[in-house]
Amino acid sequence: MKLEQVIVAYKSGDALAKRSAERCAQALEQRGINVLLGPSGPHDNPYPVFLGSVRNSIDLAVVLGGDGAALSAARNLAAAQIPILAVNIGGHLGFLAESPDDFDSETIWDRLLDDRYAIQRRMMLQAAIYEGHRDREPQSDTFLALNEMCIKPAAADRMLTSILEMEIDGEVVDQYQGDGLIVATPTGSTCYTVAANGPIVHPGMEAIVVTPICPLSLSSRPIVLPPGCIVSIWPLMDPDVNTKLWMDGVLATAIWPGQRVDIRVADCEAQFIILRENYSYYRTLEEKLQWAGARIRYSNHHRN
């Protein structure tokens, strides 16, 4: 890997992440590498400034924080094809991030320069708002998500029930009454989707997972779709314009009556650097989700 210009982003408001980022930036600058350093959080997004202020390409983004910081980096950097090294410093679950035990800022740069790492590509979703008829141009920007797009209402003074109609490739499939709909990637299947009783899908697959949130019908079930599908969602019975589109838990835009959200596989992928030589997705599931397995463990003598 070429390392001439590197982003170092850290979880805003976290002292440990900030100190680690400053040490990281110092180690890179001692090697003659230009560093773009800044906080990342709900009220801090350094990536548009970084991308717009440099002439030469950015070779790497080091993100020190939790899954939220990694998701933000993916949404902002995937289109520019910038690989992300996410390290769980100051985060909680850290599903997308490397362990800080595997991150030695004194030796990691030699590993990257010598190409002693792996890159895992993760499918993303893109969404846009359309006004009524299918042939019209989008009425919004294109929004990206690594985990999921979520269509659900929000109000300050009451709990709201949404009524949503879903089309797949132009064909009406179902109407949902409940708390909303999650349209997720395989990466996002272990986040909000699994909390809503959706399936866990291996991130090596390309698929779209649609999961109702607390539907008021036992017939409303999760569905797994092939990656070429376009999922269109229409809010119904929403005169107060409470329905919102959320990307990875971040508000994207409001949806007005008569509008629809089209969600499809994005044109770009997130690229995450893997440092662990014995990386296993199944061990990650076991560790992060604290799978206990059967209460009685049996020995498998057939392996001998």
Side-chain angles (χ1 to χ4, degrees):
M1 172 184 288
K2 179 183 70 171
L3 288 179
E4 295 179 356
Q5 191 155 237
V6 173
I7 290 173
V8 178
Y10 59 90
K11 181 180 178 180
S12 60
D14 189 277
L16 177 60
K18 182 178 181 180
R19 289 195 301 270
S20 299
E22 290 171 346
R23 289 196 300 268
C24 182
Q26 184 179 14
L28 287 167
E29 289 171 345
Q30 289 175 350
R31 292 171 174 262
I33 298 169
N34 185 43
V35 176
L36 304 168
L37 176 67
S40 174
H43 305 292
D44 296 293
N45 183 3
Y47 302 109
V49 174
F50 290 161
L51 293 171
S53 62
V54 296
R55 292 184 178 180
N56 299 327
S57 61
I58 298 172
D59 304 305
L60 172 70
V62 180
V63 180
L64 308 177
D67 287 330
L71 291 168
S72 177
R75 290 194 304 272
N76 285 277
L77 302 179
Q81 299 182 336
I82 298 172
I84 300 166
L85 174 57
V87 185
N88 187 24
I89 298 178
H92 298 292
L93 190 60
F95 217 106
L96 293 169
E98 294 285 299
S99 168
D101 297 335
D102 298 317
F103 182 73
D104 184 349
S105 60
E106 298 301 324
T107 61
I108 185 63
W109 317 120
D110 291 328
R111 287 188 59 183
L112 295 175
L113 289 167
D114 295 339
D115 293 333
R116 290 185 283 127
Y117 61 91
I119 285 186
Q120 187 177 62
R121 299 179 183 274
R122 300 243 177 171
M123 187 193 101
M124 300 185 71
L125 295 175
Q126 65 183 47
I129 306 297
Y130 290 79
E131 192 78 41
H133 193 270
R134 188 164 304 280
D135 294 332
R136 296 185 180 178
E137 293 296 317
Q139 301 299 305
S140 71
D141 295 332
T142 297
F143 304 102
L144 289 174
L146 175 58
N147 268 353
E148 75 277 314
M149 297 290 182
C150 183
I151 297 88
K152 61 184 297 186
D157 56 349
R158 60 194 176 103
M159 295 176 65
L160 299 171
T161 296
S162 64
I163 301 175
L164 304 173
E165 183 173 84
M166 181 177 72
E167 299 176 7
I168 299 175
D169 296 333
E171 178 181 352
V172 177
V173 174
D174 204 351
Q175 288 188 356
Y176 301 93
Q177 185 175 3
D179 288 355
L181 271 179
I182 304 168
V183 183
T185 66
T187 297
S189 70
T190 51
C191 190
Y192 199 178
T193 294
V194 78
N197 288 323
I200 292 177
V201 183
H202 193 286
M205 296 182 63
E206 288 196 352
I208 300 173
V209 183
V210 181
T211 304
I213 309 170
C214 299
L216 300 179
S217 171
L218 294 177
S219 67
S220 297
R221 310 303 301 168
I223 183 171
V224 181
L225 305 173
C229 290
I230 299 175
V231 179
S232 301
I233 299 172
W234 299 77
L236 306 178
M237 306 296 292
D238 184 24
D240 297 327
V241 196
N242 290 307
T243 304
K244 307 290 191 295
L245 172 66
W246 308 80
M247 50 181 183
D248 294 335
V250 177
L251 179 63
T253 185
I255 309 170
W256 291 81
Q259 293 182 329
R260 74 176 195 275
V261 184
D262 278 9
I263 302 171
R264 67 190 76 197
V265 173
D267 299 328
C268 55
E269 296 176 313
Q271 302 179 38
F272 285 94
I273 289 178
I274 303 296
L275 297 176
R276 287 160 288 174
E277 296 180 2
N278 60 343
Y279 171 79
S280 168
Y281 175 68
Y282 308 108
R283 297 289 75 77
T284 300
L285 288 178
E286 183 180 20
E287 174 189 348
K288 302 300 182 181
L289 300 183
Q290 296 184 355
W291 281 358
R295 295 186 64 185
I296 301 175
R297 303 294 293 184
Y298 294 91
S299 299
N300 186 353
H301 301 295
H302 302 285
R303 296 185 183 276
N304 296 333

